Amino acid sequence: MPRRLLTMRKLIVETRDRVYPVFIGYGLFEGGILSELDLPFSSGALITNQKVGPLHAEKVSQAFLKRGFRLSSLALPDGEEFKTLASAEVAYHFLLQEGLDRKGFLVTLGGGVITDLGGFVASTFMRGIAYYQVPTSLLAQVDSSVGGKTGVNLEEGKNLVGTFYQPYGVIIELSFLKTLPEREYREGLAEVAKAAFLAGGEFLEVLRVQSEALLGRDYSVLEDVVERAVLFKKEVVEQDEKEKGLRSILNYGHTVAHGLERALGYGTLRHGEAVAIGMMVEAMIGLELGITRPQVIEIQKVILQELGLPLRVEVALSAEDFWAILKYDKKREAQHIKFSLLRDFGDPVFGVSVPEETFKKVFDSVRGAVLQ
C-alpha cells in the first residue's frame, strides 16, 4: 500500500453511553488516521492473537507511537476455544504488569474472538477503561467490532458472560483482509448476507449482483458493502443499544448457529459458517410457523451458495438433544427460546417463541437437506 490514506469513509455511532467514530478505508494507519482521535490517556496496551500479531501489530503500534503511546502487546492463542474467562484473566494480569491504570486504554487487534474478548477485558478491568477496536477479519469488521457487545464463552454456551460496553472508536482497515485465509474470509460473508437479508432493498440487490466480486475481494465493492453493513448495524444499535427489543433482529441465524458450535465443539465450524446454516434452519422454522415467505428460503439458499458458504453439516445429536443445548441460549426467557425470523427480506420480526415440537419437526425434516 502507498504510504498515504487512499480512501476513508466515516460513520458516527451515537448511543446513550457513548458517541464514537467508525473509520472504513485503505491505508488508514499510514495515512495518519489517529490524528482524527482525541487520546487523553496516560498509557496504552494492545491485545491480539498469535496469528494476527505478527502480521499487523507493528503497523498499528507505530501509528500509536507517533501519537506518543508505546503500546505493550499481548498475543493470545488463536481460536474460539480461547474466548474464555481464563484468557481474560491472562489479559488482566498482563495489563497490571504493564502498569495500565484507569486512565489507560486498550487496542484490540484481531477477529471476532479478540474484539469480543478484548472488549470484555476493557469493560471489566479497573471497572472499565477506554478501548479501540481494530478488526482484522471481515466478520469482525461488519459485525462484532461495532455496537459494544462483549463476551466470553462458557462450556454451556457462547457469550454467556459479557457486557454492553461501547468502544471509543473503530478503525476498519480493509487491506488487512488480504491476509485472511479463504475460509476465514468467506465466513465473514455470512454476516454480510445476514445484514443484507435484514435490510433488504438496495443492500440485498448489491449482494445478489456483486457476489462474484465479493468472493474475489474486489476492494471497491468491499468498501461499499462493509459500509452498508456497518450503517445498518449502527442504525439498529442507536435505537436499542442494550438489546431490549429491536437489536435482537441481529441474532437472525444465531440461535441455531450457537447450538451448532457447541454441539460440534468450538472451532469445528467457524462462526460465520454456523450462521449460514442457522439462517437456513431458522427460515424453515419461520415457514413452518407461517411467518416466513417461501421465496426467502430459495433466495437465501442461492445467495449463500454463491458466496461459498456451507448449507449443511453432520450433526449426530437428535432433535431432542439439540433442543436441550438451545436452552442455554442467552435469549431464553423462562422456558421459552426466542428466535428472530424474517417475514420477508427487509421485514424481520423478533421475540418469536418457537414451540419445542415445531423446532423438533423442522430439525428432523431438514436433517437430510441441511444438516447432514
Side-chain angles (χ1 to χ4, degrees), residues 160 243 248 251 254-255 258 328-333 336-340:
L160 292 179
E243 203 170 303
S248 61
N251 293 319
H254 285 62
T255 301
H258 289 170
Y328 286 105
D329 190 275
K330 61 184 179 298
K331 296 178 287 299
R332 183 191 69 213
E333 294 180 10
H336 299 283
I337 300 173
K338 302 292 187 178
F339 284 75
S340 296

Side-chain angles (χ1 to χ4, degrees), residues 15 64 291:
T15 70
F64 277 94
I291 293 172

Side-chain angles (χ1 to χ4, degrees), residues 164-178:
F164 289 97
Y165 191 70
Q166 300 295 336
Y168 280 59
V170 181
I171 303 173
I172 298 175
E173 173 53 61
L174 294 170
S175 69
F176 287 168
L177 298 179
K178 283 184 176 180

Side-chain angles (χ1 to χ4, degrees), residues 38-93:
D38 181 26
L39 299 172
F41 306 112
S42 59
S43 59
L46 182 148
I47 292 180
T48 186
N49 68 43
Q50 293 167 359
K51 275 188 167 181
V52 171
L55 297 171
H56 306 305
E58 179 65 20
K59 176 183 290 187
V60 175
S61 295
Q62 284 298 315
F64 277 94
L65 186 60
K66 291 178 181 177
R67 286 294 309 270
F69 296 98
R70 187 178 298 277
L71 301 185
S72 303
S73 181
L74 171 67
L76 295 167
D78 179 47
E80 188 75 35
E81 62 270 33
F82 297 105
K83 198 173 88 172
T84 62
L85 286 167
S87 293
E89 186 173 1
V90 169
Y92 297 143
H93 289 302

Side-chain angles (χ1 to χ4, degrees), residues 5 20-21 46 68 86 95 98 107 118 203 215 235 264 272 280 297 345 370:
L5 197 156
Y20 59 94
L46 182 148
L95 297 179
E98 295 302 318
V107 177
F203 190 0
L215 278 175
E235 292 172 347
L264 296 170
M280 291 304 303
I297 294 174
F345 297 114
V370 176

Side-chain angles (χ1 to χ4, degrees), residues 26 138 174 177-182 185-186 189 207 209-223 225 306-308:
Y26 307 95
L138 181 58
L174 294 170
L177 298 179
K178 283 184 176 180
T179 63
L180 280 185
E182 186 64 20
Y185 174 75
R186 290 193 183 202
L189 294 174
L207 191 67
V209 171
Q210 299 288 4
S211 59
E212 185 175 347
L214 280 173
L215 278 175
R217 309 192 198 194
D218 181 309
Y219 283 134
S220 61
V221 175
L222 267 172
E223 188 172 27
V225 165
E306 288 180 347
L307 293 175

